Amino acid sequence: MQDVMMSDAKSERPQSALLRRIDPGARALVIASVMLVLVLSSLLPWAGDAAGWEVLTGQADPALKIGLLPWLFALNSTIVGLGVGALALITRRWVFAFVAAMAGMVVSFEGVIAIWSRQTSGQHGPALGLILAAVCMIVLAVQWMKIIWTRD
């Protein structure tokens, strides 16, 4: 009987670790502010005259030859930076904060590669919106990493 009870306690431990709550404290305000700046960066030009929302929706001028990497970064920064980040802030679950941190690091790398691809394309280089969005994703990834390291 004791073996069954001990195995139940051991099997519940990993589940309860994933369901633990986080307390972002003042970092929640920083994250929410950076998420707002990320939204505003989509209104700024990313390549030539194409705004970030135009890159995301595929409505940019074909002559700009935006390419796959800026579009992929626009899509993933929206999903991870805004969607998963908001989910983690609302639910305050450690698992969502962990996903936001890990995926945020990947999307940050995508942002740097998207900037590089615009610099080497021979077309219009990266504009302010793309650079600002990449910086926002780096800040979000760092903030989420700090939160998941300080959980109870």
Side-chain angles (χ1 to χ4, degrees), residues 46-49 63-64 117-119 121-127:
W46 278 32
D49 292 333
L64 291 174
S117 74
R118 292 305 307 162
Q119 288 175 334
S121 68
Q123 301 292 323
H124 291 69

Side-chain angles (χ1 to χ4, degrees), residues 58-140:
Q59 296 178 1
D61 185 13
L64 291 174
K65 297 182 182 175
I66 299 293
L68 178 66
L69 291 174
W71 175 79
L72 188 64
F73 172 65
L75 179 67
N76 289 338
S77 65
T78 302
I79 292 170
V80 173
L82 300 178
V84 177
L87 186 65
L89 280 179
I90 291 168
T91 62
R92 297 191 186 267
R93 295 287 182 189
W94 182 84
V95 68
F96 294 129
F98 180 78
V99 170
M102 295 300 123
M105 292 178 64
V106 171
V107 174
S108 298
F109 180 72
E110 286 177 4
V112 172
I113 297 298
I115 291 170
W116 171 80
S117 74
R118 292 305 307 162
Q119 288 175 334
T120 59
S121 68
Q123 301 292 323
H124 291 69
L128 178 64
L130 179 58
I131 295 168
L132 186 60
V135 170
C136 285
M137 284 308 303
I138 292 168
V139 171
L140 285 173

